[in-house]
Amino acid sequence: MTTPAIQRWAVQLEYDGRGLVGWQRQASGLSVQALLEEAAFRLAGGRPVPSITAGRTDSGVHALAQVAHLDFPADASFSSYSVREGLSYHLKPHAVVVLDAAPVSLDWSARFSATWRSYRYRILNRRTRPALAEGHVWHVKSPLDVHRMQQAANMLLGLHDFTSFRAVACQANSPVRTLDQLDITREGDEVVVFAKARSFLHHQVRNMVGTLKKVGTGAWEPERVAQALAARDRSAAGPTAPPDGLYLNGVGYEPDPFASPTPQNRT
Amino acid sequence: MTTPAIQRWAVQLEYDGRGLVGWQRQASGLSVQALLEEAAFRLAGGRPVPSITAGRTDSGVHALAQVAHLDFPADASFSSYSVREGLSYHLKPHAVVVLDAAPVSLDWSARFSATWRSYRYRILNRRTRPALAEGHVWHVKSPLDVHRMQQAANMLLGLHDFTSFRAVACQANSPVRTLDQLDITREGDEVVVFAKARSFLHHQVRNMVGTLKKVGTGAWEPERVAQALAARDRSAAGPTAPPDGLYLNGVGYEPDPFASPTPQNRT
């Protein structure tokens, strides 16, 4: 018996997490993985196409540029254009689209070849509930002090045991991660947290944001975040921020399989 | 008989136009006006509260800071806080919220006291349909040349007869308007058109955007926009852009009834 020949494709995805159960297939509900694999199944003429992703986003979490790879039968001869357009077509009417597609070798993995992930977390910081951004932001009514939040954020940068900021259910072997960037900025009535690292623990960004919010409102002193980190105890840090405001912003590879001056015009 | 005493309140509104029939009451469907007046009716303990708006937005058009005034019975003693929070509460679960409220005199009108209106129009300019911004942008697949669009936009600035850019059903007495600003900028894969004038004709912004898109794709030379303007004939200009990308951005008054360093913290 011979193993059927495979052509692996890297795809870049945008999706709206509202109404989805997250990346991974669940017993019930729509997952990005199931929608993507179903679209690929149709594009491959009714043959199964398994996928692996760079970031298994949770229910309600959005993506601006998620990356996954799909193993298509090699006899299906696709172009980047036909993979991108074909998958996006079969993904209708769901709020999941393929922004770009590139052929990659079988030793390339969306998950294991990634050299960094970045996330954005949007907080709507005003009295009134969101009308336009409902489901796309965390609504925090109390005024947030961005300067204090940045002070606290700086204490999380670098190599640490992030046990205090990882979900109890986190399946990673090690709680040690290197946080490369954690920037807090205000854009009008929004406070945006940008985080970048080689990889993150389960709920790490949402737990960091929930903790920084405590500092931003004045409930916690910035120093308490360093203490929470040192405690290596989930209960020492703040609560988990809701999924609504979280966006998987990007995933990095070297070399970048999507590298092109104008990826949208790839043919 | 005496006229019942009135306390007029100016309110600033954000709303998501999806699923709404626009500002004005219609025979069927939800209008912003009906939702706002119903919320005010409840806040006033079951007494009718008429409203007037600065901009009668069409079906599907959004607002970041629409302004209206509401005539409450004077015996209802409200604070800015209670008007804002009370109306926003009674507007639930609709995607319409009151961002700010301020008492104004009876000779102040949201419509007639306005000295300018501004609009933003968001075009998602990429191959793939929107996942996150569905209903919030106009999706234009062909690459747009922002420089060419700005060249054409400049021909519309100033005092003109805008007959070519007004809806045939427009009820304004005069087609003459002064367009103060029409700026085209690119923000990533979005092209944003910003327009500012004392007032606009019906569909004027959407007709200008639909026309500028023709220039941006290369279908029209920029000069054709000047010719379309001079023709004073609706059929000489481009098509009407869809409502999805249009946002009433702001309304100006002198003095600004909402003036305060942090309107959201008004009490």
mmCIF file of all heavy atoms in Angstrom, chain A residues 145-186:
data_model
loop_
_atom_site.group_PDB
_atom_site.id
_atom_site.type_symbol
_atom_site.label_atom_id
_atom_site.label_comp_id
_atom_site.label_asym_id
_atom_site.label_seq_id
_atom_site.Cartn_x
_atom_site.Cartn_y
_atom_site.Cartn_z
ATOM 1 N N ASP A 145 -6.862 53.672 33.506
ATOM 2 C CA ASP A 145 -5.625 54.445 33.444
ATOM 3 C C ASP A 145 -4.605 53.618 32.658
ATOM 4 O O ASP A 145 -4.044 52.647 33.178
ATOM 5 C CB ASP A 145 -5.145 54.730 34.868
ATOM 6 C CG ASP A 145 -3.877 55.571 34.905
ATOM 7 O OD1 ASP A 145 -3.069 55.504 33.949
ATOM 8 O OD2 ASP A 145 -3.692 56.293 35.901
ATOM 9 N N VAL A 146 -4.393 54.025 31.425
ATOM 10 C CA VAL A 146 -3.544 53.255 30.515
ATOM 11 C C VAL A 146 -2.092 53.238 30.990
ATOM 12 O O VAL A 146 -1.385 52.238 30.837
ATOM 13 C CB VAL A 146 -3.676 53.829 29.077
ATOM 14 C CG1 VAL A 146 -2.612 53.258 28.164
ATOM 15 C CG2 VAL A 146 -5.059 53.533 28.523
ATOM 16 N N HIS A 147 -1.662 54.328 31.585
ATOM 17 C CA HIS A 147 -0.285 54.422 32.067
ATOM 18 C C HIS A 147 -0.028 53.392 33.174
ATOM 19 O O HIS A 147 0.977 52.681 33.162
ATOM 20 C CB HIS A 147 -0.010 55.848 32.571
ATOM 21 C CG HIS A 147 1.362 56.021 33.136
ATOM 22 N ND1 HIS A 147 2.498 56.003 32.354
ATOM 23 C CD2 HIS A 147 1.790 56.177 34.414
ATOM 24 C CE1 HIS A 147 3.552 56.149 33.120
ATOM 25 N NE2 HIS A 147 3.158 56.259 34.378
ATOM 26 N N ARG A 148 -0.975 53.301 34.113
ATOM 27 C CA ARG A 148 -0.865 52.298 35.184
ATOM 28 C C ARG A 148 -0.884 50.883 34.605
ATOM 29 O O ARG A 148 -0.122 50.005 35.039
ATOM 30 C CB ARG A 148 -2.062 52.421 36.136
ATOM 31 C CG ARG A 148 -1.919 53.462 37.229
ATOM 32 C CD ARG A 148 -3.245 53.606 37.975
ATOM 33 N NE ARG A 148 -3.599 52.405 38.726
ATOM 34 C CZ ARG A 148 -3.321 52.213 40.011
ATOM 35 N NH1 ARG A 148 -2.698 53.145 40.696
ATOM 36 N NH2 ARG A 148 -3.688 51.090 40.627
ATOM 37 N N MET A 149 -1.745 50.664 33.618
ATOM 38 C CA MET A 149 -1.835 49.334 33.007
ATOM 39 C C MET A 149 -0.515 48.956 32.342
ATOM 40 O O MET A 149 -0.061 47.810 32.425
ATOM 41 C CB MET A 149 -2.982 49.283 31.987
ATOM 42 C CG MET A 149 -4.362 49.373 32.621
ATOM 43 S SD MET A 149 -5.688 49.565 31.401
ATOM 44 C CE MET A 149 -5.830 47.898 30.755
ATOM 45 N N GLN A 150 0.119 49.942 31.682
ATOM 46 C CA GLN A 150 1.396 49.663 31.012
ATOM 47 C C GLN A 150 2.493 49.357 32.029
ATOM 48 O O GLN A 150 3.316 48.458 31.805
ATOM 49 C CB GLN A 150 1.784 50.846 30.123
ATOM 50 C CG GLN A 150 3.013 50.587 29.249
ATOM 51 C CD GLN A 150 2.774 49.450 28.257
ATOM 52 O OE1 GLN A 150 1.914 49.542 27.392
ATOM 53 N NE2 GLN A 150 3.525 48.348 28.395
ATOM 54 N N GLN A 151 2.470 50.085 33.134
ATOM 55 C CA GLN A 151 3.435 49.823 34.226
ATOM 56 C C GLN A 151 3.343 48.374 34.674
ATOM 57 O O GLN A 151 4.343 47.681 34.824
ATOM 58 C CB GLN A 151 3.073 50.697 35.432
ATOM 59 C CG GLN A 151 3.787 52.012 35.538
ATOM 60 C CD GLN A 151 3.452 52.649 36.891
ATOM 61 O OE1 GLN A 151 2.335 53.124 37.079
ATOM 62 N NE2 GLN A 151 4.410 52.629 37.808
ATOM 63 N N ALA A 152 2.105 47.919 34.879
ATOM 64 C CA ALA A 152 1.876 46.542 35.321
ATOM 65 C C ALA A 152 2.250 45.559 34.221
ATOM 66 O O ALA A 152 2.861 44.512 34.474
ATOM 67 C CB ALA A 152 0.421 46.363 35.716
ATOM 68 N N ALA A 153 1.899 45.889 32.975
ATOM 69 C CA ALA A 153 2.174 45.008 31.843
ATOM 70 C C ALA A 153 3.672 44.743 31.717
ATOM 71 O O ALA A 153 4.094 43.621 31.416
ATOM 72 C CB ALA A 153 1.620 45.618 30.559
ATOM 73 N N ASN A 154 4.466 45.783 31.976
ATOM 74 C CA ASN A 154 5.918 45.643 31.834
ATOM 75 C C ASN A 154 6.490 44.570 32.770
ATOM 76 O O ASN A 154 7.524 43.978 32.481
ATOM 77 C CB ASN A 154 6.603 46.987 32.099
ATOM 78 C CG ASN A 154 6.291 48.000 31.000
ATOM 79 O OD1 ASN A 154 5.792 47.629 29.926
ATOM 80 N ND2 ASN A 154 6.557 49.272 31.268
ATOM 81 N N MET A 155 5.779 44.336 33.891
ATOM 82 C CA MET A 155 6.244 43.324 34.857
ATOM 83 C C MET A 155 6.053 41.901 34.331
ATOM 84 O O MET A 155 6.603 40.956 34.899
ATOM 85 C CB MET A 155 5.491 43.475 36.176
ATOM 86 C CG MET A 155 5.715 44.838 36.813
ATOM 87 S SD MET A 155 4.605 45.117 38.210
ATOM 88 C CE MET A 155 4.925 46.892 38.482
ATOM 89 N N LEU A 156 5.264 41.762 33.269
ATOM 90 C CA LEU A 156 4.995 40.430 32.707
ATOM 91 C C LEU A 156 5.899 40.112 31.522
ATOM 92 O O LEU A 156 5.927 38.970 31.038
ATOM 93 C CB LEU A 156 3.520 40.331 32.281
ATOM 94 C CG LEU A 156 2.494 40.499 33.409
ATOM 95 C CD1 LEU A 156 1.083 40.560 32.841
ATOM 96 C CD2 LEU A 156 2.624 39.351 34.418
ATOM 97 N N LEU A 157 6.645 41.113 31.053
ATOM 98 C CA LEU A 157 7.504 40.900 29.878
ATOM 99 C C LEU A 157 8.653 39.970 30.204
ATOM 100 O O LEU A 157 9.146 39.937 31.325
ATOM 101 C CB LEU A 157 8.052 42.243 29.381
ATOM 102 C CG LEU A 157 7.033 43.180 28.736
ATOM 103 C CD1 LEU A 157 7.703 44.509 28.373
ATOM 104 C CD2 LEU A 157 6.411 42.533 27.499
ATOM 105 N N GLY A 158 9.067 39.210 29.187
ATOM 106 C CA GLY A 158 10.225 38.342 29.351
ATOM 107 C C GLY A 158 9.847 36.914 29.690
ATOM 108 O O GLY A 158 8.680 36.515 29.546
ATOM 109 N N LEU A 159 10.855 36.138 30.127
ATOM 110 C CA LEU A 159 10.688 34.706 30.429
ATOM 111 C C LEU A 159 10.157 34.512 31.849
ATOM 112 O O LEU A 159 10.803 34.954 32.812
ATOM 113 C CB LEU A 159 12.054 34.010 30.295
ATOM 114 C CG LEU A 159 12.097 32.509 30.608
ATOM 115 C CD1 LEU A 159 11.602 31.710 29.413
ATOM 116 C CD2 LEU A 159 13.529 32.097 30.972
ATOM 117 N N HIS A 160 8.979 33.897 31.958
ATOM 118 C CA HIS A 160 8.389 33.662 33.282
ATOM 119 C C HIS A 160 7.615 32.353 33.306
ATOM 120 O O HIS A 160 7.196 31.848 32.268
ATOM 121 C CB HIS A 160 7.398 34.781 33.642
ATOM 122 C CG HIS A 160 7.996 36.140 33.714
ATOM 123 N ND1 HIS A 160 8.810 36.543 34.742
ATOM 124 C CD2 HIS A 160 7.895 37.194 32.871
ATOM 125 C CE1 HIS A 160 9.189 37.794 34.534
ATOM 126 N NE2 HIS A 160 8.657 38.221 33.396
ATOM 127 N N ASP A 161 7.396 31.875 34.525
ATOM 128 C CA ASP A 161 6.427 30.811 34.765
ATOM 129 C C ASP A 161 5.070 31.506 34.872
ATOM 130 O O ASP A 161 4.815 32.247 35.828
ATOM 131 C CB ASP A 161 6.792 30.098 36.073
ATOM 132 C CG ASP A 161 5.787 29.001 36.431
ATOM 133 O OD1 ASP A 161 4.602 29.132 36.056
ATOM 134 O OD2 ASP A 161 6.196 28.035 37.095
ATOM 135 N N PHE A 162 4.204 31.289 33.870
ATOM 136 C CA PHE A 162 2.930 32.003 33.810
ATOM 137 C C PHE A 162 1.769 31.192 34.405
ATOM 138 O O PHE A 162 0.628 31.367 33.994
ATOM 139 C CB PHE A 162 2.615 32.411 32.355
ATOM 140 C CG PHE A 162 3.370 33.616 31.887
ATOM 141 C CD1 PHE A 162 4.525 33.500 31.128
ATOM 142 C CD2 PHE A 162 2.912 34.892 32.206
ATOM 143 C CE1 PHE A 162 5.221 34.621 30.692
ATOM 144 C CE2 PHE A 162 3.602 36.026 31.773
ATOM 145 C CZ PHE A 162 4.763 35.894 31.012
ATOM 146 N N THR A 163 2.074 30.321 35.368
ATOM 147 C CA THR A 163 1.028 29.506 35.990
ATOM 148 C C THR A 163 -0.165 30.354 36.460
ATOM 149 O O THR A 163 -1.324 29.951 36.296
ATOM 150 C CB THR A 163 1.620 28.716 37.180
ATOM 151 O OG1 THR A 163 2.589 27.797 36.678
ATOM 152 C CG2 THR A 163 0.530 27.941 37.924
ATOM 153 N N SER A 164 0.110 31.508 37.008
ATOM 154 C CA SER A 164 -0.972 32.367 37.529
ATOM 155 C C SER A 164 -1.891 32.884 36.435
ATOM 156 O O SER A 164 -2.992 33.354 36.726
ATOM 157 C CB SER A 164 -0.376 33.559 38.282
ATOM 158 O OG SER A 164 0.445 33.129 39.339
ATOM 159 N N PHE A 165 -1.418 32.822 35.177
ATOM 160 C CA PHE A 165 -2.190 33.384 34.073
ATOM 161 C C PHE A 165 -2.641 32.322 33.073
ATOM 162 O O PHE A 165 -3.047 32.653 31.967
ATOM 163 C CB PHE A 165 -1.364 34.471 33.367
ATOM 164 C CG PHE A 165 -1.076 35.641 34.236
ATOM 165 C CD1 PHE A 165 0.084 35.681 35.009
ATOM 166 C CD2 PHE A 165 -1.963 36.701 34.326
ATOM 167 C CE1 PHE A 165 0.345 36.762 35.848
ATOM 168 C CE2 PHE A 165 -1.714 37.786 35.155
ATOM 169 C CZ PHE A 165 -0.555 37.811 35.916
ATOM 170 N N ARG A 166 -2.552 31.059 33.481
ATOM 171 C CA ARG A 166 -2.949 29.996 32.564
ATOM 172 C C ARG A 166 -4.226 29.344 33.090
ATOM 173 O O ARG A 166 -4.414 29.215 34.299
ATOM 174 C CB ARG A 166 -1.810 28.980 32.412
ATOM 175 C CG ARG A 166 -1.976 27.667 33.107
ATOM 176 C CD ARG A 166 -0.665 26.921 33.260
ATOM 177 N NE ARG A 166 -0.556 25.880 32.251
ATOM 178 C CZ ARG A 166 0.270 24.816 32.346
ATOM 179 N NH1 ARG A 166 1.073 24.668 33.388
ATOM 180 N NH2 ARG A 166 0.306 23.925 31.393
ATOM 181 N N ALA A 167 -5.074 28.915 32.162
ATOM 182 C CA ALA A 167 -6.305 28.242 32.551
ATOM 183 C C ALA A 167 -5.957 26.973 33.317
ATOM 184 O O ALA A 167 -4.956 26.307 33.004
ATOM 185 C CB ALA A 167 -7.128 27.898 31.314
ATOM 186 N N VAL A 168 -6.766 26.650 34.296
ATOM 187 C CA VAL A 168 -6.523 25.426 35.070
ATOM 188 C C VAL A 168 -6.527 24.213 34.136
ATOM 189 O O VAL A 168 -5.773 23.265 34.320
ATOM 190 C CB VAL A 168 -7.585 25.285 36.188
ATOM 191 C CG1 VAL A 168 -7.434 23.954 36.900
ATOM 192 C CG2 VAL A 168 -7.455 26.443 37.172
ATOM 193 N N ALA A 169 -7.341 24.299 33.080
ATOM 194 C CA ALA A 169 -7.453 23.186 32.131
ATOM 195 C C ALA A 169 -6.353 23.187 31.068
ATOM 196 O O ALA A 169 -6.337 22.336 30.181
ATOM 197 C CB ALA A 169 -8.814 23.238 31.446
ATOM 198 N N CYS A 170 -5.413 24.110 31.142
ATOM 199 C CA CYS A 170 -4.373 24.248 30.108
ATOM 200 C C CYS A 170 -3.580 22.955 29.988
ATOM 201 O O CYS A 170 -3.162 22.365 30.985
ATOM 202 C CB CYS A 170 -3.439 25.400 30.466
ATOM 203 S SG CYS A 170 -2.091 25.657 29.291
ATOM 204 N N GLN A 171 -3.388 22.493 28.743
ATOM 205 C CA GLN A 171 -2.733 21.210 28.520
ATOM 206 C C GLN A 171 -1.260 21.309 28.136
ATOM 207 O O GLN A 171 -0.620 20.305 27.844
ATOM 208 C CB GLN A 171 -3.495 20.419 27.444
ATOM 209 C CG GLN A 171 -4.861 19.923 27.942
ATOM 210 C CD GLN A 171 -5.734 19.421 26.822
ATOM 211 O OE1 GLN A 171 -5.259 19.127 25.740
ATOM 212 N NE2 GLN A 171 -7.037 19.323 27.086
ATOM 213 N N ALA A 172 -0.712 22.537 28.134
ATOM 214 C CA ALA A 172 0.696 22.692 27.767
ATOM 215 C C ALA A 172 1.577 22.000 28.796
ATOM 216 O O ALA A 172 1.256 21.981 29.979
ATOM 217 C CB ALA A 172 1.045 24.175 27.668
ATOM 218 N N ASN A 173 2.706 21.425 28.331
ATOM 219 C CA ASN A 173 3.599 20.719 29.244
ATOM 220 C C ASN A 173 4.251 21.661 30.246
ATOM 221 O O ASN A 173 4.425 21.328 31.402
ATOM 222 C CB ASN A 173 4.684 19.993 28.444
ATOM 223 C CG ASN A 173 4.098 18.835 27.661
ATOM 224 O OD1 ASN A 173 3.160 18.194 28.116
ATOM 225 N ND2 ASN A 173 4.650 18.594 26.477
ATOM 226 N N SER A 174 4.618 22.826 29.762
ATOM 227 C CA SER A 174 5.329 23.768 30.632
ATOM 228 C C SER A 174 4.550 25.081 30.747
ATOM 229 O O SER A 174 3.999 25.567 29.759
ATOM 230 C CB SER A 174 6.708 24.051 30.042
ATOM 231 O OG SER A 174 7.258 25.224 30.616
ATOM 232 N N PRO A 175 4.536 25.677 31.938
ATOM 233 C CA PRO A 175 3.906 26.978 32.117
ATOM 234 C C PRO A 175 4.865 28.129 31.811
ATOM 235 O O PRO A 175 4.513 29.289 32.025
ATOM 236 C CB PRO A 175 3.516 26.970 33.592
ATOM 237 C CG PRO A 175 4.595 26.164 34.243
ATOM 238 C CD PRO A 175 5.024 25.125 33.227
ATOM 239 N N VAL A 176 6.066 27.795 31.345
ATOM 240 C CA VAL A 176 7.069 28.833 31.089
ATOM 241 C C VAL A 176 6.914 29.361 29.659
ATOM 242 O O VAL A 176 6.871 28.578 28.697
ATOM 243 C CB VAL A 176 8.497 28.300 31.326
ATOM 244 C CG1 VAL A 176 9.533 29.360 30.950
ATOM 245 C CG2 VAL A 176 8.660 27.866 32.780
ATOM 246 N N ARG A 177 6.806 30.664 29.548
ATOM 247 C CA ARG A 177 6.709 31.297 28.246
ATOM 248 C C ARG A 177 7.532 32.589 28.269
ATOM 249 O O ARG A 177 7.819 33.127 29.343
ATOM 250 C CB ARG A 177 5.246 31.670 27.920
ATOM 251 C CG ARG A 177 4.330 30.459 27.641
ATOM 252 C CD ARG A 177 4.719 29.772 26.343
ATOM 253 N NE ARG A 177 3.853 28.663 25.965
ATOM 254 C CZ ARG A 177 3.958 27.410 26.417
ATOM 255 N NH1 ARG A 177 4.881 27.111 27.311
ATOM 256 N NH2 ARG A 177 3.143 26.469 25.976
ATOM 257 N N THR A 178 7.866 33.071 27.063
ATOM 258 C CA THR A 178 8.544 34.363 26.955
ATOM 259 C C THR A 178 7.591 35.351 26.299
ATOM 260 O O THR A 178 7.210 35.175 25.140
ATOM 261 C CB THR A 178 9.832 34.245 26.109
ATOM 262 O OG1 THR A 178 10.701 33.293 26.726
ATOM 263 C CG2 THR A 178 10.534 35.588 26.012
ATOM 264 N N LEU A 179 7.193 36.340 27.056
ATOM 265 C CA LEU A 179 6.284 37.364 26.532
ATOM 266 C C LEU A 179 7.124 38.503 25.953
ATOM 267 O O LEU A 179 7.881 39.152 26.678
ATOM 268 C CB LEU A 179 5.378 37.862 27.669
ATOM 269 C CG LEU A 179 4.313 38.886 27.292
ATOM 270 C CD1 LEU A 179 3.335 38.309 26.265
ATOM 271 C CD2 LEU A 179 3.553 39.332 28.548
ATOM 272 N N ASP A 180 7.006 38.699 24.646
ATOM 273 C CA ASP A 180 7.871 39.669 23.971
ATOM 274 C C ASP A 180 7.303 41.079 23.948
ATOM 275 O O ASP A 180 8.030 42.058 23.896
ATOM 276 C CB ASP A 180 8.136 39.205 22.530
ATOM 277 C CG ASP A 180 8.934 37.917 22.492
ATOM 278 O OD1 ASP A 180 9.935 37.845 23.227
ATOM 279 O OD2 ASP A 180 8.534 36.977 21.769
ATOM 280 N N GLN A 181 5.980 41.171 23.913
ATOM 281 C CA GLN A 181 5.357 42.502 23.822
ATOM 282 C C GLN A 181 4.042 42.486 24.563
ATOM 283 O O GLN A 181 3.278 41.506 24.462
ATOM 284 C CB GLN A 181 5.088 42.829 22.348
ATOM 285 C CG GLN A 181 5.809 44.061 21.838
ATOM 286 C CD GLN A 181 5.491 44.302 20.370
ATOM 287 O OE1 GLN A 181 5.703 43.431 19.531
ATOM 288 N NE2 GLN A 181 4.967 45.476 20.071
ATOM 289 N N LEU A 182 3.758 43.552 25.302
ATOM 290 C CA LEU A 182 2.453 43.722 25.949
ATOM 291 C C LEU A 182 2.222 45.230 26.049
ATOM 292 O O LEU A 182 2.638 45.881 27.008
ATOM 293 C CB LEU A 182 2.432 43.038 27.326
ATOM 294 C CG LEU A 182 1.049 42.895 27.985
ATOM 295 C CD1 LEU A 182 0.085 42.090 27.107
ATOM 296 C CD2 LEU A 182 1.162 42.249 29.357
ATOM 297 N N ASP A 183 1.606 45.759 24.988
ATOM 298 C CA ASP A 183 1.461 47.214 24.853
ATOM 299 C C ASP A 183 0.012 47.626 25.063
ATOM 300 O O ASP A 183 -0.896 47.033 24.477
ATOM 301 C CB ASP A 183 1.874 47.654 23.441
ATOM 302 C CG ASP A 183 3.327 47.348 23.148
ATOM 303 O OD1 ASP A 183 4.109 47.269 24.110
ATOM 304 O OD2 ASP A 183 3.675 47.184 21.961
ATOM 305 N N ILE A 184 -0.183 48.660 25.866
ATOM 306 C CA ILE A 184 -1.531 49.167 26.127
ATOM 307 C C ILE A 184 -1.633 50.540 25.496
ATOM 308 O O ILE A 184 -0.818 51.422 25.793
ATOM 309 C CB ILE A 184 -1.801 49.318 27.640
ATOM 310 C CG1 ILE A 184 -1.061 48.274 28.461
ATOM 311 C CG2 ILE A 184 -3.296 49.360 27.932
ATOM 312 C CD1 ILE A 184 -1.562 46.890 28.365
ATOM 313 N N THR A 185 -2.619 50.732 24.640
ATOM 314 C CA THR A 185 -2.795 52.053 24.024
ATOM 315 C C THR A 185 -4.260 52.451 24.082
ATOM 316 O O THR A 185 -5.145 51.599 24.115
ATOM 317 C CB THR A 185 -2.350 52.053 22.546
ATOM 318 O OG1 THR A 185 -2.913 50.911 21.887
ATOM 319 C CG2 THR A 185 -0.837 51.995 22.416
ATOM 320 N N ARG A 186 -4.489 53.750 24.095
ATOM 321 C CA ARG A 186 -5.862 54.243 24.031
ATOM 322 C C ARG A 186 -6.115 54.805 22.642
ATOM 323 O O ARG A 186 -5.310 55.564 22.115
ATOM 324 C CB ARG A 186 -6.100 55.334 25.087
ATOM 325 C CG ARG A 186 -7.519 55.910 25.046
ATOM 326 C CD ARG A 186 -7.772 56.887 26.171
ATOM 327 N NE ARG A 186 -7.983 56.230 27.451
ATOM 328 C CZ ARG A 186 -9.149 55.674 27.825
ATOM 329 N NH1 ARG A 186 -10.195 55.695 27.004
ATOM 330 N NH2 ARG A 186 -9.264 55.113 29.004
#
